[in-house]
Amino acid sequence: MYGLSAILNIARGAMNANQLAMQVISHNMANVNTPGYTRQKVVLETQVPWNLNRLKVGTGVQVDSVIQCFDRYSTRAIIQNTSSLKDYESKALVLSTVESLWNETEENSLSQILDEFWNAWQDLASNPGGTAERTALLGKAEILTRRFNSLSQELGQIGQNLNTNLRAGVEEVNRLTGQIAALNVRIRTAEASQTTANDLRDQRNQLLEELSGLVGITYLEQDDGSLTVLTREGLLLVNGNESWDLSTEGTSIYYNGIENDVSDRLTGGKMGGWLDLRDETLPQYLANLDEMAGTLIQEVNNLHLAGYTLSGGTGMYFFKDFQVAPGVPNAGDYSGAAAYISLSSDVLGTPENIAAGGISGAPGDNGNALSIAALQTDGSLVIRKWTITDRGQSTTSNPQTGSLYDYYQGLIGELGIFTEDTNGNQDFTQSLLDSLAGVRDSVSGVNLDEELTEMMKVQHAYEAASKVISVVDQMMQTLLDMR
Amino acid sequence: MMRVGTASIYAGIQLRLQRMAADLKSLNEKIASGKNLNRLSDDPIALVEAMKFKTAARQMDQYGRNLNTAASWFTASESTLSQTLDLVGRARELAVQMSSSSQDAENRDAAAAEIGDLLDHAISLGNTDLSGRYIFSGFETGTAPFTKIVVGGVETAQYNGDTNDFQVQVGKDQTLTVGRNGQTVFMDSGLFSTLGGLKKALEDDDLAGIGTQLENLTSVENYLNSQIADIGVRHNQAQVRENILSQIQFELKDQLSRVEDADIVEVMIQLNAKQLTYQAALAAAARVSEMSLLNYMD
């Protein structure tokens, strides 16, 4: 086909193509702020030329496809690093609460309370018969035991809050995997006709990114366009149109209703962070706090038992004695000691029963008070240092020789450095994600100025095509006007 | 050339402003609290240092308090013993006077009465207490250490305390004997029996006996002097220790301040610099958002 009507056809085709291009441009501009939106582009191509004898005559333009400007590499890297970022972020948030429990930068910190406890023993040594000194010592000891109790309780509370978070996280994972499976179906259907379902894919990637923020995942795209999603540890979450739910029961997380805890197969993301804290970090701090309280009970009681009260009695406990009973710390196992530590019934309310005396309990006998006060700086105590890893599967202890202070300062230093590291990792991962997002946006982000330029280009092409129509019209008129 | 998405320009602006705001907050916190360390993770190493300094400072405070107790014991012991020495001096004076054969029995009876008073006084000095605690009865601080008894017609005192010495802690693994028991300080000096014996000799006009007791008084004086010297040495040790402690205290506070306290001038300069950057960033953000092709299209 050639001639004037062919030209009209070319012009009409050009107008159609540019109109479509304009639609894509306006779609881009409209979604400039849509999270996860990938810039789209019209691919134009020439129509099949017309053979006119030995000539090949062009027949205009047509739209080949509307494609996404999508960078697979940076998208995958973003999804992986989102898991790391959310992992660090959730840890940093909880650790900031944990470090504020140990308010060592403030007044009334545990170390100050400990100092005052030992100083009260020294005051008693300066006046072993004094009722005021004895009463003051009991007061300081009670403040100390309550601090241990409340630290233990608050660490436990943080663990419980994490369980609440985890339950909400599981719900969220189920919602996301369900939606991804649903989108798999729609994408598969839409792409059956050899086109790409751009906007549906954007939605699915957005869900994938959200999911990776909750738990570390890997994914692969099948030939039919559907996505298979697994946790990093290989739990299958989505395949084609199917998704498998997680559920919670107490502190356990079940997969597909099977009553077998899979929490150790969830790493990365917020949930991975929470699980690490719940099963490693918090139990470790609690175990070491218990160790400290247990050592205090053991050492003070040992000396106290041998001392003499004001009335000459002996064999009195200062702290409530360990008992062999389930759930109660004993001489060999201090777990739970921080929650357990309290004054014994021997001395509670009976300050005369504090065994300040070393040989008789005479009102001037301060021998035992001096010995107990000297525990403060006794660097020969052997205290177990616990390390809990592998989500609580591996619990090891390592005896350390030193004073209670050395031990406690070690704990505080460790917590501080862990928090500092986590914050640092969070900042680093955030920067990495920012630059990855920059890389992704350099391919798929919408730039308004660019779209406006494209718009002018398309507008001019459209105007030119309409100009062609009016010229052809004139040419036809000329033809018809011939006589 | 790298393309830049419009949304990521704004996201970048937001992120950078947020980071700067976080820096401003932390500087502001330092100024408000006057401290560099406001949470464990600010600087864990420095924080543990600060904890060590604080605990050491509290220990030093306690040792200082113990030394205060010690000082009052030393002062009380010293003044008791020097009064006792004065009393022994008076007894010697009387004994010397009365050992002269020119003195008559009446004078010696009067002198014996005075020596009797001196013995009572010596016993009450031995029963010196510090806010209700007898300082010369060993651990039996609730029991008056000396009571007068008569043995074979001779007045003397018996010791009711024990033989323990009172100690306080003045440093790590360092104790100081603050109070010696009355057995060591008084009984072993023979003070009471000498005074009793002197009284008896005066009553009996026993010149030889007076002479013997005079000799005994000399050895009592020597003994008491050595006790005063002993207390003096330990009192001096305590004072030296106290000086050292206050020196250490000063050092500790200095070191703690260096670790913990914010250098306000420095922080203010940092704050000003950050403020400037923040304002510049805000201005730049406003300019960037003004720029658009739309401004030039009809």
Side-chain angles (χ1 to χ4, degrees):
Chain A
M1 193 169 84
Y2 63 99
L4 288 178
S5 57
I7 301 173
L8 274 179
N9 260 338
I10 290 176
R12 192 191 51 152
M15 286 175 81
N16 277 344
N18 281 297
Q19 197 179 309
L20 202 96
M22 191 65 158
Q23 196 167 346
V24 170
I25 289 166
S26 55
H27 185 53
N28 279 343
M29 294 202 292
N31 284 296
V32 63
N33 289 324
T34 307
Y37 178 74
T38 305
R39 179 169 63 109
Q40 297 178 11
K41 209 164 137 182
V42 164
V43 178
L44 299 177
E45 63 176 16
T46 52
Q47 297 230 29
V48 182
W50 178 255
N51 291 324
L52 180 64
N53 301 329
R54 59 184 176 81
L55 299 175
K56 295 225 185 281
V57 182
T59 54
V61 66
Q62 68 175 0
V63 175
D64 172 63
S65 57
V66 180
I67 59 158
Q68 282 189 303
C69 302
F70 186 71
D71 178 29
R72 265 171 220 285
Y73 165 74
S74 59
T75 303
R76 191 170 280 274
I78 282 173
I79 283 174
Q80 272 163 6
N81 282 292
T82 300
S83 293
S84 304
L85 177 68
K86 293 294 173 185
D87 182 351
Y88 292 131
E89 214 173 73
S90 64
K91 278 189 185 127
L93 201 67
V94 175
L95 285 172
S96 76
T97 317
V98 175
E99 70 175 347
S100 68
L101 284 183
W102 269 275
N103 56 342
E104 282 298 334
T105 57
E106 314 266 331
E107 290 296 300
N108 292 319
S109 58
L110 180 57
S111 62
Q112 184 182 348
I113 290 173
L114 262 174
D115 289 339
E116 286 173 359
F117 171 70
W118 299 119
N119 284 354
W121 277 105
Q122 298 236 11
D123 282 340
L124 180 61
S126 291
N127 185 12
T131 310
E133 283 80 358
R134 286 168 180 266
T135 311
L137 169 59
L138 287 187
K140 294 292 181 195
E142 214 161 357
I143 292 173
L144 179 64
T145 57
R146 290 220 184 104
R147 174 58 62 89
F148 271 114
N149 300 158
S150 73
L151 277 174
S152 164
Q153 195 229 329
E154 281 170 74
L155 279 178
Q157 186 60 50
I158 291 173
Q160 284 185 7
N161 293 348
L162 288 179
N163 279 328
T164 313
N165 288 357
L166 282 166
R167 277 195 287 277
V170 161
E171 295 295 311
E172 194 67 6
V173 166
N174 291 342
R175 179 181 71 82
L176 290 169
T177 51
Q179 287 181 353
I180 290 172
L183 276 167
N184 271 347
V185 177
R186 290 176 63 191
I187 288 169
R188 202 155 59 186
T189 317
E191 294 188 353
S193 52
Q194 301 298 314
T195 56
T196 51
N198 296 334
D199 296 329
L200 293 176
R201 279 174 173 267
D202 280 350
Q203 278 180 37
R204 191 175 63 181
N205 270 327
Q206 191 63 19
L207 294 173
L208 205 59
E209 207 175 307
E210 272 182 56
L211 181 61
S212 73
L214 283 166
V215 61
I217 50 169
T218 58
Y219 60 96
L220 55 137
E221 195 176 323
Q222 307 288 356
D223 290 341
D224 63 0
S226 73
L227 215 52
T228 301
V229 184
L230 305 96
T231 70
R232 279 181 192 165
E233 314 296 322
L235 273 183
L236 184 60
L237 295 178
V238 182
N239 188 26
N241 61 350
E242 280 184 290
S243 66
W244 287 269
D245 277 356
L246 300 174
S247 56
T248 51
E249 174 78 46
T251 59
S252 302
I253 297 177
Y254 295 152
Y255 172 72
N256 195 25
I258 303 158
E259 296 198 356
N260 175 28
D261 189 18
V262 294
S263 61
D264 56 334
R265 293 176 77 180
L266 304 173
T267 58
K270 280 185 193 169
M271 290 181 61
W274 291 332
L275 285 165
D276 285 347
L277 286 171
R278 189 194 72 178
D279 295 341
E280 292 174 9
T281 316
L282 293 177
Q284 183 176 313
Y285 288 134
L286 191 57
N288 289 325
L289 186 70
D290 281 342
E291 205 60 38
M292 229 179 113
T295 307
L296 195 68
I297 297 176
Q298 178 79 17
E299 298 295 328
V300 171
N301 275 354
N302 263 353
L303 290 172
H304 199 264
L305 280 169
Y308 292 85
T309 70
L310 206 46
S311 56
T314 186
M316 297 285 179
Y317 287 100
F318 186 79
F319 292 117
K320 195 160 127 194
D321 182 28
F322 292 132
Q323 281 149 8
V324 181
V328 173
N330 58 62
D333 175 9
Y334 292 161
S335 56
Y340 178 81
I341 191 170
S342 58
L343 288 177
S344 74
S345 55
D346 290 344
V347 296
L348 186 65
T350 322
E352 311 84 71
N353 279 348
I354 296 174
I359 50 168
S360 64
D365 185 359
N366 66 357
N368 206 39
L370 281 177
S371 308
I372 292 177
L375 274 178
Q376 178 182 25
T377 51
D378 184 353
S380 68
L381 300 179
V382 178
I383 312 174
R384 282 167 294 194
K385 177 84 196 329
W386 294 93
T387 311
I388 297 178
T389 50
D390 293 344
R391 292 278 170 77
Q393 300 297 304
S394 155
T395 303
T396 53
S397 74
N398 188 15
Q400 292 192 332
T401 308
S403 68
L404 275 168
Y405 279 94
D406 298 336
Y407 186 81
Y408 179 58
Q409 282 158 3
L411 293 190
I412 290 298
E414 210 172 79
L415 173 62
I417 288 170
F418 184 51
T419 311
E420 193 187 29
D421 275 358
T422 307
N423 291 341
N425 282 331
Q426 186 195 338
D427 288 348
F428 171 76
T429 316
Q430 181 72 62
S431 307
L432 185 63
L433 262 181
D434 291 342
S435 61
L436 283 171
V439 172
R440 180 173 67 176
D441 278 1
S442 76
V443 178
S444 59
V446 176
N447 182 309
L448 281 180
D449 289 336
E450 183 186 68
E451 298 299 329
L452 288 169
T453 320
E454 285 294 315
M455 190 175 84
M456 289 192 281
K457 214 164 79 180
V458 168
Q459 189 186 4
H460 285 140
Y462 187 85
E463 278 171 10
S466 54
K467 189 71 186 170
V468 168
I469 290 178
S470 72
V471 169
V472 170
D473 181 42
Q474 283 173 22
M475 286 166 77
M476 280 182 159
Q477 202 58 51
T478 312
L479 194 67
L480 287 173
D481 284 352
M482 281 201 311
R483 323 213 150 167
Chain B
M1 189 209 68
M2 190 156 153
R3 283 184 69 257
V4 178
T6 305
S8 64
I9 293 177
Y10 289 101
I13 290 173
Q14 273 177 357
L15 190 80
R16 277 187 291 277
L17 287 180
Q18 254 166 28
R19 285 206 178 148
M20 276 189 274
D23 287 349
L24 281 173
K25 177 174 171 263
S26 126
L27 286 173
N28 192 29
E29 201 174 53
K30 282 184 187 173
I31 290 170
S33 68
K35 286 191 165 29
N36 261 333
L37 306 171
N38 289 297
R39 56 183 64 77
L40 298 190
S41 52
D42 281 348
D43 186 347
I45 312 267
L47 182 89
V48 169
E49 284 286 282
M51 279 170 69
K52 284 183 184 159
F53 292 147
K54 281 186 192 166
T55 289
R58 285 186 208 112
Q59 280 173 347
M60 298 304 145
D61 273 346
Q62 183 62 41
Y63 296 148
R65 261 213 307 282
N66 295 352
L67 283 168
N68 281 345
T69 306
S72 58
W73 278 63
F74 288 136
T75 314
S77 309
E78 275 170 340
S79 95
T80 305
L81 281 176
S82 71
Q83 284 180 55
T84 311
L85 263 182
D86 290 350
L87 177 155
V88 173
R90 174 63 189 151
R92 162 190 286 284
E93 212 175 287
L94 280 171
V96 169
Q97 270 178 27
M98 295 305 145
S99 64
S100 161
S101 50
S102 60
Q103 300 288 342
D104 58 15
E106 203 174 320
N107 283 345
R108 291 211 176 90
D109 284 345
E114 190 178 345
I115 295 293
D117 290 346
L118 288 178
L119 176 58
D120 290 345
H121 191 200
I123 290 174
S124 80
L125 281 173
N127 287 341
T128 298
D129 71 279
L130 263 177
S131 42
R133 299 162 68 193
Y134 295 103
I135 61 176
F136 294 114
S137 54
F139 283 172
E140 301 289 347
T141 52
T143 310
F146 301 105
T147 43
K148 192 154 92 175
I149 51 164
V150 182
V151 180
V154 178
E155 289 179 8
T156 184
Q158 75 169 5
Y159 181 56
N160 308 314
D162 60 27
T163 54
N164 295 300
D165 295 335
F166 176 56
Q167 295 182 318
V168 293
Q169 199 177 357
V170 294
K172 184 174 188 264
D173 304 327
Q174 240 184 317
T175 52
L176 185 67
T177 301
V178 164
R180 285 245 190 265
N181 63 74
Q183 180 70 41
T184 310
V185 178
F186 286 107
M187 291 309 276
D188 292 352
S189 74
L191 169 69
F192 305 115
S193 56
T194 303
L195 287 176
L198 181 59
K199 186 183 175 201
K200 181 84 171 86
L202 286 169
E203 282 167 352
D204 296 352
D205 290 326
D206 173 5
L207 284 183
I210 294 175
T212 312
Q213 297 306 338
L214 208 50
E215 278 166 32
N216 286 347
L217 278 177
T218 308
S219 73
V220 168
E221 268 178 334
N222 287 342
Y223 189 93
L224 290 179
N225 269 321
S226 75
Q227 286 299 314
I228 289 184
D230 175 56
I231 295 170
V233 166
R234 281 180 284 117
H235 196 172
N236 190 34
Q237 279 175 358
Q239 280 164 345
V240 169
R241 184 77 197 140
E242 208 167 348
N243 285 342
I244 294 173
L245 282 181
S246 58
Q247 189 72 30
I248 297 176
Q249 276 283 32
F250 180 80
E251 288 288 322
L252 282 173
K253 281 187 180 135
D254 190 46
Q255 281 171 315
L256 180 62
S257 157
R258 235 176 288 166
V259 174
E260 196 182 47
D261 292 348
D263 181 345
I264 298 291
V265 178
E266 169 77 28
V267 178
M268 282 306 287
I269 291 170
Q270 284 177 11
L271 184 69
N272 280 339
K274 280 276 178 232
Q275 221 172 4
L276 205 68
T277 334
Y278 194 72
Q279 274 162 354
L282 285 175
R287 296 266 181 82
V288 167
S289 57
E290 273 170 16
M291 287 192 285
S292 169
L293 197 53
L294 281 171
N295 299 338
Y296 305 97
M297 290 169 71
D298 298 327

